[in-house]
């Protein structure tokens, strides 16, 4: 092992010798102070394999001539041979050196800014804010002050309650958590909680105001659930006065939504003819470059689909790198009369129903029951369902002032 470690820097070779004077050759090497190691004879005992340092190999010629043997190199090891090989491939070695220099240079820069956790704010607005404060893709890593970025963002955005800025390699991760702020004038705004749907009250919990319905009651859309008029009761269980407040509480109303949909059995099927042409657009700041085959301009399509694909290069890099590549494809289409099979029609109606339920859930509803029924009537497939849904009510109605009416201690209209 020591020969391999030390010999790698100075260089060593593995060679073999053959002839009747191999034994005498080994003895002469020992007398001259030339070290051989890992000596092995072949099966016939005629060829000797061994290792020797590169500087000693050049001393073997007079000894080999005296013993009438021929040393033949099998393998070469060590840095001298690597340097020799690099000298023969200067362009390749230069490329390797430049490659590592570029890697080292790029590792000292920020090449991506990731923004996570935003809801009200957009990634573009956060990146624009950072860019205005000289935090951008391509800046030096040593200039990134994570603590300063956190401090500035917390004091610049009132609706951001928590900020985390972390530097990992060449990526800067900005994670935020927004808080919902209630404006002072909205907080003091008085009103009654009303129903958004016609249905039945599933549960009601009142924290402020006067409840007007109970669990199990049927309500109509716009009906007052919790009144914003709070009654002040005196010692004799009499209403001393009334005051306006903002009705607060949790009221869940269950309603039934009727869903109907239909499709015709016959329809016009879109078919791509295979003819198309592409237009490429390269945008760099205020400049646009369009690339296309001018021969394609001779082709005209009566009907075609226009598909635009692409986007900004390195979207996480920085707003200071506004380079985008787009491909706009014009694909010719034709239409032919076709009919839906039952499986195709059912699949299409189910997909539409699934999209409809997704839209309902986005509005804050929780689906309790939704069973879809599909039937065929003449040349149409019809789908219908009664969707049982629940929602926490959060709509308010302003309390009207009863000006001009005299009522002892009554400052509301009983809503």
């Amino acid at each position: 092992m020591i020969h391999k470690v030390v010999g790698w820097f100075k260089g060593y070779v593995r060679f073999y010798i053959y002839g009747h004077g191999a034994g005498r050759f080994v003895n002469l090497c020992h007398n001259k102070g030339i070290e051989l190691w890992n000596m092995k004879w072949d099966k016939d005992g005629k060829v000797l394999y061994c290792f020797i340092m590169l500087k000693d190999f050049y001393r073997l010629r007079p000894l080999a001539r005296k013993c009438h043997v021929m040393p033949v190199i099998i393998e070469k090891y060590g840095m001298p041979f690597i340097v020799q090989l690099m000298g023969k491939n200067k362009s390749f070695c230069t490329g390797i050196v430049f490659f590592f220099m570029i890697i080292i240079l790029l590792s000292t820069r920020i090449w991506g800014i990731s923004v996570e956790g935003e809801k009200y704010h957009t990634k573009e607005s956060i990146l624009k804010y950072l860019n205005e404060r000289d935090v951008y893709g391509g800046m030096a890593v040593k200039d990134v002050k994570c603590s300063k970025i956190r401090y500035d963002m917390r004091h610049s955005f009132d609706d951001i309650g928590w900020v985390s800025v972390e530097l990992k390699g060449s990526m800067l991760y900005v994670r935020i958590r927004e808080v919902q702020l209630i404006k002072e004038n909205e907080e003091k705004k008085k009103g009654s909680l009303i129903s958004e749907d016609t249905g039945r009250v599933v549960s009601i919990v009142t924290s402020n105001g006067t409840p007007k319905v109970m669990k199990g009651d049927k309500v109509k859309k716009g009906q007052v659930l919790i009144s914003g008029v709070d009654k002040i009761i005196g010692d004799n269980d009499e209403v001393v006065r009334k005051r306006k407040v903002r009705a607060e509480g949790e009221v869940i109303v269950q309603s039934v939504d009727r869903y109907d949909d239909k499709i015709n059995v016959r329809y016009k099927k879109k078919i791509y003819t295979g003819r198309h042409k592409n237009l490429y657009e390269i945008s760099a700041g205020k400049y646009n470059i369009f690339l296309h085959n001018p021969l394609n301009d001779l082709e005209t399509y009566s009907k075609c689909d226009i598909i635009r694909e692409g986007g900004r290069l390195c979207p996480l890099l920085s707003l200071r790198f506004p380079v985008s590549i787009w491909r706009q494809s014009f694909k010719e289409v034709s239409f032919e009369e076709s009919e839906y099979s039952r499986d195709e029609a059912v699949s299409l109606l189910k997909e539409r129903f699934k999209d409809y339920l997704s839209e309902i859930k986005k509005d804050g509803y929780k689906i309790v029951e939704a069973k879809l029924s599909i039937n065929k009537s003449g040349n149409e497939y019809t789908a219908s369902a009664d969707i049982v849904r629940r929602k926490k009510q959060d709509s308010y109605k302003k309390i009207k002032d009863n000006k001009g009416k005299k009522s002892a201690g009554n400052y509301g209209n009983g809503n």
Side-chain angles (χ1 to χ4, degrees), residues 103-123:
I103 291 296
I104 295 173
L105 176 63
L106 294 179
S107 64
T108 61
R109 298 282 171 174
I110 295 295
W111 297 113
I113 301 177
S114 174
V115 180
E116 302 173 5
E118 78 289 345
K119 292 182 180 179
Y120 175 76
H121 296 280
T122 62
K123 291 183 179 180

mmCIF file of all heavy atoms in Angstrom, residues 103-123:
data_model
loop_
_atom_site.group_PDB
_atom_site.id
_atom_site.type_symbol
_atom_site.label_atom_id
_atom_site.label_comp_id
_atom_site.label_asym_id
_atom_site.label_seq_id
_atom_site.Cartn_x
_atom_site.Cartn_y
_atom_site.Cartn_z
ATOM 1 N N ILE A 103 -18.219 26.597 -12.136
ATOM 2 C CA ILE A 103 -18.972 26.020 -11.008
ATOM 3 C C ILE A 103 -18.695 26.803 -9.726
ATOM 4 O O ILE A 103 -19.615 27.129 -8.956
ATOM 5 C CB ILE A 103 -18.604 24.536 -10.822
ATOM 6 C CG1 ILE A 103 -19.135 23.705 -11.993
ATOM 7 C CG2 ILE A 103 -19.153 24.005 -9.507
ATOM 8 C CD1 ILE A 103 -20.639 23.669 -12.098
ATOM 9 N N ILE A 104 -17.427 27.124 -9.498
ATOM 10 C CA ILE A 104 -17.065 27.889 -8.302
ATOM 11 C C ILE A 104 -17.688 29.280 -8.343
ATOM 12 O O ILE A 104 -18.203 29.789 -7.345
ATOM 13 C CB ILE A 104 -15.535 27.970 -8.163
ATOM 14 C CG1 ILE A 104 -14.942 26.575 -7.923
ATOM 15 C CG2 ILE A 104 -15.142 28.925 -7.037
ATOM 16 C CD1 ILE A 104 -13.432 26.531 -7.944
ATOM 17 N N LEU A 105 -17.672 29.914 -9.526
ATOM 18 C CA LEU A 105 -18.257 31.244 -9.663
ATOM 19 C C LEU A 105 -19.767 31.213 -9.438
ATOM 20 O O LEU A 105 -20.313 32.051 -8.721
ATOM 21 C CB LEU A 105 -17.943 31.808 -11.056
ATOM 22 C CG LEU A 105 -18.574 33.174 -11.381
ATOM 23 C CD1 LEU A 105 -18.031 34.247 -10.433
ATOM 24 C CD2 LEU A 105 -18.299 33.555 -12.834
ATOM 25 N N LEU A 106 -20.446 30.238 -10.047
ATOM 26 C CA LEU A 106 -21.900 30.155 -9.897
ATOM 27 C C LEU A 106 -22.309 29.834 -8.465
ATOM 28 O O LEU A 106 -23.374 30.255 -8.008
ATOM 29 C CB LEU A 106 -22.461 29.094 -10.850
ATOM 30 C CG LEU A 106 -22.340 29.387 -12.346
ATOM 31 C CD1 LEU A 106 -22.917 28.245 -13.153
ATOM 32 C CD2 LEU A 106 -23.029 30.698 -12.697
ATOM 33 N N SER A 107 -21.478 29.088 -7.754
ATOM 34 C CA SER A 107 -21.820 28.727 -6.376
ATOM 35 C C SER A 107 -21.764 29.920 -5.432
ATOM 36 O O SER A 107 -22.247 29.832 -4.304
ATOM 37 C CB SER A 107 -20.877 27.631 -5.878
ATOM 38 O OG SER A 107 -19.528 28.109 -5.825
ATOM 39 N N THR A 108 -21.201 31.017 -5.880
ATOM 40 C CA THR A 108 -21.122 32.214 -5.026
ATOM 41 C C THR A 108 -22.256 33.186 -5.316
ATOM 42 O O THR A 108 -22.241 34.303 -4.805
ATOM 43 C CB THR A 108 -19.783 32.923 -5.241
ATOM 44 O OG1 THR A 108 -19.674 33.337 -6.624
ATOM 45 C CG2 THR A 108 -18.621 32.009 -4.882
ATOM 46 N N ARG A 109 -23.245 32.762 -6.128
ATOM 47 C CA ARG A 109 -24.351 33.630 -6.511
ATOM 48 C C ARG A 109 -25.690 32.990 -6.174
ATOM 49 O O ARG A 109 -25.789 31.773 -6.010
ATOM 50 C CB ARG A 109 -24.295 33.932 -8.015
ATOM 51 C CG ARG A 109 -23.039 34.672 -8.444
ATOM 52 C CD ARG A 109 -23.122 36.137 -8.101
ATOM 53 N NE ARG A 109 -21.845 36.826 -8.301
ATOM 54 C CZ ARG A 109 -21.688 38.140 -8.189
ATOM 55 N NH1 ARG A 109 -22.741 38.895 -7.897
ATOM 56 N NH2 ARG A 109 -20.508 38.696 -8.345
ATOM 57 N N ILE A 110 -26.708 33.832 -6.070
ATOM 58 C CA ILE A 110 -28.077 33.362 -5.873
ATOM 59 C C ILE A 110 -28.715 33.199 -7.252
ATOM 60 O O ILE A 110 -28.803 34.148 -8.023
ATOM 61 C CB ILE A 110 -28.898 34.362 -5.030
ATOM 62 C CG1 ILE A 110 -28.324 34.452 -3.611
ATOM 63 C CG2 ILE A 110 -30.367 33.945 -4.981
ATOM 64 C CD1 ILE A 110 -28.438 33.169 -2.826
ATOM 65 N N TRP A 111 -29.184 31.982 -7.548
ATOM 66 C CA TRP A 111 -29.758 31.727 -8.862
ATOM 67 C C TRP A 111 -31.211 31.304 -8.776
ATOM 68 O O TRP A 111 -31.745 30.735 -9.721
ATOM 69 C CB TRP A 111 -28.933 30.665 -9.587
ATOM 70 C CG TRP A 111 -27.538 31.115 -9.850
ATOM 71 C CD1 TRP A 111 -26.401 30.618 -9.310
ATOM 72 C CD2 TRP A 111 -27.133 32.197 -10.710
ATOM 73 N NE1 TRP A 111 -25.303 31.300 -9.767
ATOM 74 C CE2 TRP A 111 -25.726 32.288 -10.633
ATOM 75 C CE3 TRP A 111 -27.806 33.100 -11.515
ATOM 76 C CZ2 TRP A 111 -24.995 33.233 -11.329
ATOM 77 C CZ3 TRP A 111 -27.080 34.043 -12.215
ATOM 78 C CH2 TRP A 111 -25.699 34.095 -12.127
ATOM 79 N N GLY A 112 -31.859 31.550 -7.684
ATOM 80 C CA GLY A 112 -33.279 31.228 -7.575
ATOM 81 C C GLY A 112 -33.861 31.756 -6.286
ATOM 82 O O GLY A 112 -33.232 31.646 -5.222
ATOM 83 N N ILE A 113 -35.065 32.367 -6.374
ATOM 84 C CA ILE A 113 -35.778 32.856 -5.193
ATOM 85 C C ILE A 113 -37.148 32.197 -5.184
ATOM 86 O O ILE A 113 -37.946 32.402 -6.100
ATOM 87 C CB ILE A 113 -35.922 34.390 -5.201
ATOM 88 C CG1 ILE A 113 -34.536 35.047 -5.253
ATOM 89 C CG2 ILE A 113 -36.679 34.862 -3.973
ATOM 90 C CD1 ILE A 113 -34.593 36.568 -5.333
ATOM 91 N N SER A 114 -37.413 31.380 -4.176
ATOM 92 C CA SER A 114 -38.677 30.673 -4.052
ATOM 93 C C SER A 114 -39.529 31.350 -2.983
ATOM 94 O O SER A 114 -39.061 31.616 -1.875
ATOM 95 C CB SER A 114 -38.432 29.206 -3.678
ATOM 96 O OG SER A 114 -39.640 28.544 -3.411
ATOM 97 N N VAL A 115 -40.793 31.630 -3.328
ATOM 98 C CA VAL A 115 -41.734 32.263 -2.407
ATOM 99 C C VAL A 115 -42.834 31.255 -2.105
ATOM 100 O O VAL A 115 -43.463 30.718 -3.018
ATOM 101 C CB VAL A 115 -42.330 33.550 -3.005
ATOM 102 C CG1 VAL A 115 -43.302 34.188 -2.023
ATOM 103 C CG2 VAL A 115 -41.224 34.530 -3.365
ATOM 104 N N GLU A 116 -43.092 30.993 -0.820
ATOM 105 C CA GLU A 116 -44.084 30.006 -0.412
ATOM 106 C C GLU A 116 -44.989 30.595 0.661
ATOM 107 O O GLU A 116 -44.571 31.458 1.433
ATOM 108 C CB GLU A 116 -43.396 28.742 0.123
ATOM 109 C CG GLU A 116 -42.444 28.081 -0.860
ATOM 110 C CD GLU A 116 -41.678 26.944 -0.220
ATOM 111 O OE1 GLU A 116 -41.974 26.621 0.952
ATOM 112 O OE2 GLU A 116 -40.782 26.379 -0.890
ATOM 113 N N GLY A 117 -46.231 30.106 0.679
ATOM 114 C CA GLY A 117 -47.169 30.467 1.735
ATOM 115 C C GLY A 117 -48.024 31.684 1.441
ATOM 116 O O GLY A 117 -48.847 32.071 2.268
ATOM 117 N N GLU A 118 -47.873 32.296 0.263
ATOM 118 C CA GLU A 118 -48.630 33.507 -0.045
ATOM 119 C C GLU A 118 -50.058 33.143 -0.439
ATOM 120 O O GLU A 118 -50.314 32.121 -1.073
ATOM 121 C CB GLU A 118 -47.945 34.307 -1.153
ATOM 122 C CG GLU A 118 -48.153 33.781 -2.563
ATOM 123 C CD GLU A 118 -47.417 32.500 -2.841
ATOM 124 O OE1 GLU A 118 -46.524 32.152 -2.048
ATOM 125 O OE2 GLU A 118 -47.734 31.828 -3.829
ATOM 126 N N LYS A 119 -51.004 33.985 -0.058
ATOM 127 C CA LYS A 119 -52.412 33.823 -0.432
ATOM 128 C C LYS A 119 -52.948 35.134 -1.003
ATOM 129 O O LYS A 119 -53.399 35.194 -2.139
ATOM 130 C CB LYS A 119 -53.246 33.391 0.775
ATOM 131 C CG LYS A 119 -52.925 31.983 1.270
ATOM 132 C CD LYS A 119 -53.813 31.597 2.445
ATOM 133 C CE LYS A 119 -53.485 30.183 2.934
ATOM 134 N NZ LYS A 119 -54.310 29.795 4.095
ATOM 135 N N TYR A 120 -52.904 36.173 -0.180
ATOM 136 C CA TYR A 120 -53.369 37.481 -0.642
ATOM 137 C C TYR A 120 -52.342 38.101 -1.592
ATOM 138 O O TYR A 120 -52.670 38.587 -2.656
ATOM 139 C CB TYR A 120 -53.631 38.393 0.555
ATOM 140 C CG TYR A 120 -53.991 39.810 0.161
ATOM 141 C CD1 TYR A 120 -55.254 40.123 -0.322
ATOM 142 C CD2 TYR A 120 -53.047 40.826 0.260
ATOM 143 C CE1 TYR A 120 -55.576 41.411 -0.695
ATOM 144 C CE2 TYR A 120 -53.359 42.131 -0.112
ATOM 145 C CZ TYR A 120 -54.629 42.420 -0.587
ATOM 146 O OH TYR A 120 -54.940 43.696 -0.957
ATOM 147 N N HIS A 121 -51.089 38.056 -1.176
ATOM 148 C CA HIS A 121 -50.022 38.575 -2.024
ATOM 149 C C HIS A 121 -49.665 37.538 -3.088
ATOM 150 O O HIS A 121 -49.834 36.338 -2.891
ATOM 151 C CB HIS A 121 -48.781 38.906 -1.186
ATOM 152 C CG HIS A 121 -49.008 39.998 -0.195
ATOM 153 N ND1 HIS A 121 -49.002 41.328 -0.520
ATOM 154 C CD2 HIS A 121 -49.264 39.945 1.139
ATOM 155 C CE1 HIS A 121 -49.235 42.053 0.550
ATOM 156 N NE2 HIS A 121 -49.399 41.237 1.566
ATOM 157 N N THR A 122 -49.149 38.009 -4.212
ATOM 158 C CA THR A 122 -48.696 37.124 -5.279
ATOM 159 C C THR A 122 -47.176 36.989 -5.231
ATOM 160 O O THR A 122 -46.481 37.810 -4.629
ATOM 161 C CB THR A 122 -49.119 37.670 -6.657
ATOM 162 O OG1 THR A 122 -48.496 38.950 -6.858
ATOM 163 C CG2 THR A 122 -50.631 37.821 -6.733
ATOM 164 N N LYS A 123 -46.677 35.949 -5.885
ATOM 165 C CA LYS A 123 -45.231 35.748 -5.946
ATOM 166 C C LYS A 123 -44.558 36.911 -6.664
ATOM 167 O O LYS A 123 -43.469 37.343 -6.282
ATOM 168 C CB LYS A 123 -44.916 34.440 -6.665
ATOM 169 C CG LYS A 123 -45.317 33.195 -5.886
ATOM 170 C CD LYS A 123 -44.903 31.940 -6.624
ATOM 171 C CE LYS A 123 -45.285 30.705 -5.830
ATOM 172 N NZ LYS A 123 -44.902 29.451 -6.511
#
